[in-house]
Amino acid sequence: MTFATCDLCDANEDQLADGSLAVLPPVFRQFGRLIAFSGPAVTLKVFEDNTLVRTALEQPGDGRVLVVDGGGSLRCALLGGNLAQLAEQNGWAGVIIDGCVRDSLEINGCNIGVRALATHPKKSAKQGAGALHTRVTIAGVAVEPGYWMYADADGVLAAVCKLD
Protein backbone atom coordinates (compact mmCIF):
# COMPACT_ATOMS: atom_id res chain seq x y z
CA MET A 1 0.00 0.00 0.00
CA THR A 2 1.37 3.38 -1.04
CA PHE A 3 0.16 6.49 0.74
CA ALA A 4 1.26 9.90 1.92
CA THR A 5 -0.18 11.32 5.12
CA CYS A 6 -0.37 14.76 3.48
CA ASP A 7 -2.50 13.35 0.64
CA LEU A 8 -4.70 11.45 3.09
CA CYS A 9 -5.35 14.67 5.02
CA ASP A 10 -6.11 16.59 1.79
CA ALA A 11 -8.49 13.90 0.53
CA ASN A 12 -10.28 13.47 3.85
CA GLU A 13 -10.94 16.99 5.13
CA ASP A 14 -14.46 15.99 6.21
CA GLN A 15 -13.07 13.24 8.45
CA LEU A 16 -10.53 15.66 9.91
CA ALA A 17 -13.38 18.06 10.69
CA ASP A 18 -15.61 15.43 12.31
CA GLY A 19 -12.78 13.77 14.26
CA SER A 20 -12.87 10.38 12.55
CA LEU A 21 -9.37 11.16 11.27
CA ALA A 22 -6.83 12.71 13.63
CA VAL A 23 -3.29 13.93 13.19
CA LEU A 24 -1.07 13.05 16.12
CA PRO A 25 1.11 15.93 17.35
CA PRO A 26 4.57 16.09 15.72
CA VAL A 27 6.43 14.84 18.78
CA PHE A 28 7.56 11.43 17.52
CA ARG A 29 11.00 10.38 16.34
CA GLN A 30 11.35 7.82 13.57
CA PHE A 31 13.14 4.49 14.07
CA GLY A 32 13.36 1.29 12.03
CA ARG A 33 13.89 0.81 8.30
CA LEU A 34 10.28 1.47 7.32
CA ILE A 35 9.73 5.20 7.05
CA ALA A 36 6.11 4.64 6.03
CA PHE A 37 3.83 2.00 7.51
CA SER A 38 0.16 1.48 8.15
CA GLY A 39 -2.27 -1.06 9.53
CA PRO A 40 -5.03 -1.64 12.03
CA ALA A 41 -4.17 -0.75 15.62
CA VAL A 42 -3.66 -3.17 18.46
CA THR A 43 -3.73 -0.99 21.55
CA LEU A 44 -1.86 -1.35 24.80
CA LYS A 45 -1.78 0.82 27.92
CA VAL A 46 1.25 0.44 30.20
CA PHE A 47 3.42 2.64 32.38
CA GLU A 48 7.15 2.02 32.68
CA ASP A 49 6.59 -1.74 32.27
CA ASN A 50 7.09 -3.46 28.92
CA THR A 51 6.02 -7.00 29.83
CA LEU A 52 2.78 -6.69 27.85
CA VAL A 53 4.65 -5.10 24.94
CA ARG A 54 6.60 -8.35 24.62
CA THR A 55 3.42 -10.40 25.07
CA ALA A 56 1.73 -8.51 22.23
CA LEU A 57 4.72 -8.68 19.88
CA GLU A 58 5.06 -12.44 20.45
CA GLN A 59 1.71 -12.83 18.66
CA PRO A 60 1.37 -12.79 14.85
CA GLY A 61 1.27 -9.16 13.74
CA ASP A 62 -0.44 -9.76 10.39
CA GLY A 63 0.56 -6.26 9.26
CA ARG A 64 -0.96 -4.54 12.30
CA VAL A 65 0.47 -1.63 14.28
CA LEU A 66 1.02 -1.90 18.02
CA VAL A 67 -0.01 1.42 19.59
CA VAL A 68 1.40 1.77 23.10
CA ASP A 69 0.14 4.37 25.53
CA GLY A 70 3.17 4.60 27.77
CA GLY A 71 1.87 7.69 29.51
CA GLY A 72 4.51 9.82 27.79
CA SER A 73 7.13 8.60 30.27
CA LEU A 74 10.68 9.69 29.55
CA ARG A 75 12.14 7.68 32.46
CA CYS A 76 12.72 4.29 30.76
CA ALA A 77 12.34 2.46 27.44
CA LEU A 78 9.37 0.30 26.48
CA LEU A 79 10.90 -1.18 23.29
CA GLY A 80 14.44 -2.28 22.55
CA GLY A 81 16.32 -4.12 19.87
CA ASN A 82 15.17 -7.61 20.90
CA LEU A 83 11.50 -6.64 20.86
CA ALA A 84 11.91 -4.83 17.53
CA GLN A 85 13.39 -8.01 16.05
CA LEU A 86 10.49 -9.97 17.52
CA ALA A 87 8.03 -7.53 15.92
CA GLU A 88 9.75 -7.92 12.56
CA GLN A 89 9.83 -11.74 12.78
CA ASN A 90 6.13 -11.88 13.69
CA GLY A 91 4.94 -9.64 10.87
CA TRP A 92 4.07 -6.39 12.65
CA ALA A 93 4.03 -3.34 10.38
CA GLY A 94 5.12 -1.02 13.13
CA VAL A 95 4.99 0.20 16.69
CA ILE A 96 3.94 3.64 17.90
CA ILE A 97 4.96 4.41 21.48
CA ASP A 98 3.97 7.34 23.65
CA GLY A 99 7.21 6.72 25.51
CA CYS A 100 10.83 5.79 24.81
CA VAL A 101 12.87 3.15 23.01
CA ARG A 102 16.41 1.92 23.53
CA ASP A 103 18.94 0.07 21.34
CA SER A 104 18.08 2.51 18.58
CA LEU A 105 20.81 1.22 16.25
CA GLU A 106 19.40 -2.30 16.53
CA ILE A 107 15.86 -1.02 15.94
CA ASN A 108 17.09 0.90 12.89
CA GLY A 109 18.33 -2.41 11.47
CA CYS A 110 14.85 -3.95 11.61
CA ASN A 111 12.42 -3.95 8.71
CA ILE A 112 9.59 -2.36 10.70
CA GLY A 113 8.51 1.19 11.44
CA VAL A 114 8.74 2.62 14.94
CA ARG A 115 7.70 6.00 16.28
CA ALA A 116 8.57 7.02 19.84
CA LEU A 117 9.13 10.19 21.81
CA ALA A 118 12.83 9.65 22.51
CA THR A 119 15.55 7.18 23.36
CA HIS A 120 16.43 6.19 26.92
CA PRO A 121 19.07 3.65 27.97
CA LYS A 122 17.23 2.34 31.05
CA LYS A 123 15.07 -0.77 30.68
CA SER A 124 11.56 -0.84 32.05
CA ALA A 125 10.08 -2.77 34.95
CA LYS A 126 8.79 -6.30 34.33
CA GLN A 127 5.68 -6.70 36.47
CA GLY A 128 3.05 -7.34 33.81
CA ALA A 129 0.88 -4.35 34.64
CA GLY A 130 -1.28 -2.79 31.94
CA ALA A 131 -4.22 -3.38 29.63
CA LEU A 132 -4.39 -4.77 26.09
CA HIS A 133 -7.13 -4.01 23.54
CA THR A 134 -8.40 -0.89 25.28
CA ARG A 135 -8.90 2.74 24.33
CA VAL A 136 -5.60 4.58 24.69
CA THR A 137 -4.44 8.16 24.39
CA ILE A 138 -1.34 8.78 22.33
CA ALA A 139 0.08 12.30 22.60
CA GLY A 140 -3.42 13.53 23.42
CA VAL A 141 -5.21 11.63 20.63
CA ALA A 142 -7.65 8.82 21.46
CA VAL A 143 -7.04 5.55 19.61
CA GLU A 144 -9.38 2.56 19.78
CA PRO A 145 -8.47 -1.03 18.86
CA GLY A 146 -8.93 -1.47 15.12
CA TYR A 147 -8.40 2.18 14.16
CA TRP A 148 -6.17 2.49 11.12
CA MET A 149 -2.77 4.00 11.78
CA TYR A 150 -0.73 5.69 9.06
CA ALA A 151 2.83 6.93 9.57
CA ASP A 152 5.31 8.42 7.14
CA ALA A 153 8.02 11.08 7.09
CA ASP A 154 5.42 13.84 7.48
CA GLY A 155 3.41 12.55 10.42
CA VAL A 156 1.19 10.00 12.09
CA LEU A 157 -2.56 9.67 11.55
CA ALA A 158 -5.27 7.72 13.38
CA ALA A 159 -8.44 6.92 11.41
CA VAL A 160 -11.65 5.28 12.57
CA CYS A 161 -11.59 3.20 9.36
CA LYS A 162 -9.22 2.39 6.52
CA LEU A 163 -8.68 5.28 4.09
CA ASP A 164 -8.27 4.80 0.36
Side-chain angles (χ1 to χ4, degrees), residues 77-98:
L78 295 175
L79 181 84
N82 291 337
L83 293 185
Q85 290 171 2
L86 188 62
E88 178 184 23
Q89 291 165 4
N90 287 331
W92 290 85
V95 181
I96 299 170
I97 300 177
D98 193 13

